[in-house]
Every structure is written in C-alpha cells, then in structure tokens.
Amino acid sequence: MHEALSRDEIHQTIQAFIAERLAGKLEKLATDDPKRESLTEQFTFENWVGDAARRVSQLQVVTHALKATHPDAKGSSRYVEPATLPEIPLVGSHLLSSDFSGDVVGNAAALDVYKFLKLQHQGKSLLELALERDGSFSAALSNNPEQAKEWVEAFASITQPKGNEASHSLAKQLYWVVGDDPTDDADFHLLAPLYATSLAHQVFQRINADRFGEAAKEARQARRNSKPSDKGYRDYPNLAVQKLGGTKPQNISQLNSERGGNNYLLASLPPKWKSQGIKPPLHTETIFKRFGRRREARWLASDLLRFLQTNPPDNRYTRDQVDGYVAALIDELVLFASEFQVLEPGWSADSACRLPLEQQLWLDPWRGEEDAEFAQQREQGEWPGAIRAAFARWLNAWLKPLGVGDDEHREWQARLRRQLDILQEELLHG
C-alpha cells in the first residue's frame, strides 16, 4: 500500500514536470499552429520519459569539468567524491561536505533530463532513487517492468564516465617531468588540469550569501547606524567575475548555467603603493622616533610586550612567537625605510638633517652617485651594525616595563640576534 502510494506520488511529480515544460513550449505557439498537436504527442508521459532515457547518455555528472577551459574541448571530465581526495592544507574540493552539488556536462539540449532527475520525492532526488533501483520509482515510470528497468538503468548511468580518459588540444595540458632524462618523451607525464566546478559553485553561493544575504544586509545596516549586531559580515574587495560560456553558459555545464555563467575570482594582487607625501626626515636626531609613531610598528611592539607580560614558559612556542613579532617588526622597518629611499637623492646633505651618519647612509642610498665620500663610507659596510644596534635599543625601550635585569637582557639580545642578522642582510642589499 505504501509503495503504491509512493509510486503514485512520484508519477504525479513527473507528470507535473512534463506538463509544465509542455505549457512553456505551447505558449510560444499560436493556437492554430499545427505544431501544437505533434508537440503534445511528444510530451505524453511515456514518450517524454522514453526520450529522456535515451538522451541521458549525452550527459555526465562531474565534479571537475573540462569545458570551463574551452567550450569546444572534447576530452574527459571527472567525477570524484570529495571524501576520497587527499587532505592537504589548502582550499580544495576535498573540503566539500557530503551534500555538495554535482555538476552536469554534455549536450546542453539534454540538460532538461538532469532537471528531471533532480526532482525531489520524500527528501531524495529521482537520480538517487534510480541509483538505489527503488521499486516505487521503477513502478512510477512504467507498468511494464522490463521497460521500467531499462529506463532506470539508463538514468542511473549518468554518473558513469563516457569513454576512455583523454585530453584535448583545446584543454589545459602540462607536461611534468617524472624521469631523469628531459629529452626523453617517456620521462614525462601529461597533466590535464580540470575546472573544480563543484567547489566553484559552493564558493559562488558563499560569496553571494555574504554579499546579498539578509544576515549580511542587517549587519551592514547596523554598522551604518552605529548599532551593535551579533551578526558579522564579510567583504571581498576587488572581486572579479569571469564569464564562462558567453551568451550560452549552458554549453559549459548545468551549474555554470545556474550561475548565469558567472564565476568569482578573488583578488590576488600585490599591495598597491600609496604615496603619503613623504618628506625628508629633517630636524630629528634619529629616525626611530618616527618609526615608533608608525601605527603598524606601535601595534606589533605593544602586542609583543603584552605577550611577554603574560610570563610565557621558556619553550619553543614562546621562542617562535617572539621571533615572529621581531620578524614582523623588521619587515615593517624595511618598508618604512624604503619610503625615504625613493626621495630625491641627496636630501640628507641638507644642513637641517641631524640624523647620524649611519642613518643617512641607510635612508639616502643614491646620494653616493654625486657624493664620492658618501659612497665610500657606504661601501665600507660598517653602518648596518649601528642600525641594528639602534633598532635593538628602540625595541628594548618598548619592553622596558618588563623590568628585566642584565641576565634577562643578555638572553633577550641572544634571541634577537638571528633576526637582527637578517636585518643586517636587508640593510646591505636594500
């Protein structure tokens, strides 16, 4: 009784789907158009399902599609369960959950068959029922058991690859040497990168939810109104959209068609240089005063102080943390210095410049092209040591609240030494 009820419900679901598609086509024809009769015959239940079972061989369910590279590429696409992929510390298809969206490639004219297989019955798609060889689904297709079995097998075959694996001249190809002789063709493997279409679809949905979802809208509105919100939001600056398939995104894949051909590309750009009208550091005895007022340097030094004030244990984690803070400060110092090094050469010769010679040699490197004595002093290479010592004094001044004694100070200097050696290399070759 339950199977019969389920059979009837599935049959009605399919019948409604076919009727809707027929109605869509009939409304485009005049009421006296002779094509209406043949079209109605074509969309009877048995005729349409039989035709769909034949056309399903033109489709394949995939997770990695080839046609995203070029719509005319004829090679293989692949279906790989994300759970079977190796775990690597990068974003990839292996991170997709079990309810990921599979894509469909093949003849775009047959994509209506996949829409049919996505129809839902009691929480399962018709494709899932076909793969399970569900008795109710089979009975809903036809009263003829042999005919119904044939159609179920045809629909279930959509997950199977078509033909042997092959690449194509319009596909991406990469020859990767795996042997010892790069002049021997046999020592290469041909890699064929495919488009991770299931992953791209989830990224697209996630970004759209972050940009246009109700929760994100509410959070942004709260921010504009200077009101608290327990909902956060994400921004994606410099987001680009890649259109695949042009005016016919369905020629690439079903998911690409659902996205209207839109595929998001996250910005992967170097930082854009923003000139802040840098002026020569005149009327000051040391550049480190200005460095200490720099927001990023102040944040890093303060964070390092707060970390050490927690009395962390003397272990590898603590040493790595300290090295990380110091390395970041050195990066910031190098960036800070580079802003002065692009000023008009010779600015340090101004009578208003009170910087010590080693800081002039550091920050005005091209002055030596017109000042031979200055160039000679710079080439002697003794000044980086003075810069390194000045940086250590500046950093130790920030850490003065720790109240360390001589022994701790020597230990602290020892920890600094390796990073400061790196700084010296940067100074000499900067």
Side-chain angles (χ1 to χ4, degrees), residues 223-284:
R223 182 176 183 273
R224 285 192 288 270
N225 296 337
S226 300
K227 293 182 177 179
S229 173
D230 57 358
K231 300 173 182 174
Y233 65 87
R234 301 181 184 88
D235 287 323
Y236 300 87
N238 301 317
L239 189 67
V241 179
Q242 181 184 26
K243 298 282 287 188
L244 297 179
T247 58
K248 297 180 178 178
Q250 68 274 16
N251 285 347
I252 304 300
S253 73
Q254 171 63 23
L255 292 183
N256 188 64
S257 179
E258 293 179 13
R259 297 191 297 269
N262 296 308
N263 294 263
Y264 287 136
L265 298 176
L266 299 176
S268 179
L269 303 168
K272 185 178 292 185
W273 179 264
K274 293 182 180 178
S275 174
Q276 298 178 346
I278 299 297
K279 297 180 180 178
L282 306 176
H283 308 290
T284 182

